[in-house]
Amino acid sequence: GAGVSQSPSNKVTEKGKDVELRCDPISGHTALYWYRQSLGQGLEFLIYFQGNSAPDKSGLPSDRFSAERTGGSVSTLTIQRTQQEDSAVYLCASSSYGQGNTEAFFGQGTRLTVV
Amino acid sequence: AQSVTQLDSQVPVFEEAPVELRCNYSSSVSVYLFWYVQYPNQGLQLLLKYLSGSTLVKSINGFEAEFNKSQTSFHLRKPSVHISDTAEYFCAVSAPGGYNKLIFGAGTRLAVHP
């Protein structure tokens, strides 16, 4: 596609349920990033993929959070046993390389609400 | 480790007035610097970036930012704002030589009033 696509755009889930958030990066982009945007914490880095491997998972808040990327393309962020503090907008970005000087293109995000 | 401080959470301004959004960073290594903009109900878009060379960088819609190494600042300015500039602006850094892991400031909400 022309841009980074994320689905769903909105997700409401009950506390304790698992959720999966999907990201389709720009075709050909080898680098993929997940960020979280919340009122109290601003924009936080979660994880970085280069191809299918994740050399930096340092931003994942707890072991309830995991992510994978398959075929060097689509990525899924999974949150198990959701808590109210997980409510946030989850943003995905991709770039043509994993270099610091290449532009990262962001999707519109998935707004997650845990009730 | 890097950190970014945006000194103003909200900046109200009248249309056609000048504006400055302040950004300071902390890093033990040299960094790349970015300003991203998030218009209402839209995703983040890159506004401008400093990688190297000229310390003054400009966007296509009239914004500019100047890298000041001694003051560790990268303030964003526009001489005359429009209603359409109303958005949230994020300053960010990344470390050269590494991957594009962006460390963001908390954001500044620019509200342009008629």
Side-chain angles (χ1 to χ4, degrees):
Chain A
V4 178
S5 178
Q6 293 187 244
S7 60
S9 55
N10 280 283
K11 175 72 176 179
V12 179
T13 189
E14 292 181 352
K15 179 181 172 181
K17 300 283 190 184
D18 298 352
V19 294
E20 285 189 353
L21 312 179
R22 177 187 170 105
C23 172
D24 281 277
I26 292 173
S27 179
H29 280 191
T30 61
L32 186 147
Y33 314 81
W34 283 97
Y35 291 84
R36 180 169 71 173
Q37 186 175 20
S38 55
L39 282 175
Q41 302 297 323
L43 270 159
E44 308 169 274
F45 166 83
L46 297 180
I47 187 169
Y48 157 63
F49 285 93
Q50 181 59 249
N52 291 336
S53 62
D56 188 347
K57 307 178 184 180
S58 64
L60 293 178
S62 74
D63 59 8
R64 296 186 296 104
F65 287 72
S66 63
E68 66 175 11
R69 189 179 185 194
T70 56
S73 181
V74 172
S75 176
T76 303
L77 178 68
T78 301
I79 309 172
Q80 295 178 310
R81 305 181 303 280
T82 51
Q83 304 294 313
Q84 287 184 330
E85 62 262 28
D86 300 333
S87 295
V89 177
Y90 290 82
L91 296 171
C92 177
S94 71
S95 62
S96 54
Y97 302 98
Q99 300 291 321
N101 59 353
T102 53
E103 180 177 352
F105 293 85
F106 283 80
Q108 296 208 7
T110 294
R111 181 175 298 278
L112 175 66
T113 305
V114 181
V115 298
Chain B
Q2 293 87 38
S3 66
V4 178
T5 302
Q6 291 183 244
L7 297 162
D8 306 294
S9 59
Q10 295 186 65
V11 173
V13 65
F14 287 109
E15 194 173 18
E16 298 183 3
V19 71
E20 178 181 79
L21 307 184
R22 296 178 292 169
C23 172
N24 287 88
Y25 69 93
S26 173
S27 177
S28 57
V29 298
S30 60
V31 293
Y32 296 138
L33 292 152
F34 306 83
W35 276 99
Y36 278 83
V37 59
Q38 189 173 35
Y39 296 104
N41 301 314
Q42 295 189 29
L44 281 165
Q45 302 172 34
L46 180 65
L47 186 61
L48 46 75
K49 62 184 177 184
Y50 169 77
L51 303 180
S52 64
S54 173
T55 57
L56 183 66
V57 291
K58 300 185 179 185
S59 73
I60 59 173
N61 60 349
F63 282 93
E64 63 181 36
E66 185 153 24
F67 169 55
N68 188 318
K69 187 174 182 179
S70 63
Q71 297 187 4
T72 60
S73 68
F74 191 55
H75 301 330
L76 182 69
R77 301 184 181 95
K78 189 170 185 180
S80 176
V81 294
H82 303 290
I83 297 286
S84 59
D85 293 324
T86 294
E88 186 140 21
Y89 292 79
F90 293 92
C91 182
V93 302
S94 71
Y99 47 92
N100 199 357
K101 175 180 178 178
L102 293 165
I103 306 300
F104 286 92
T108 297
R109 186 170 298 276
L110 175 65
V112 182
H113 302 284

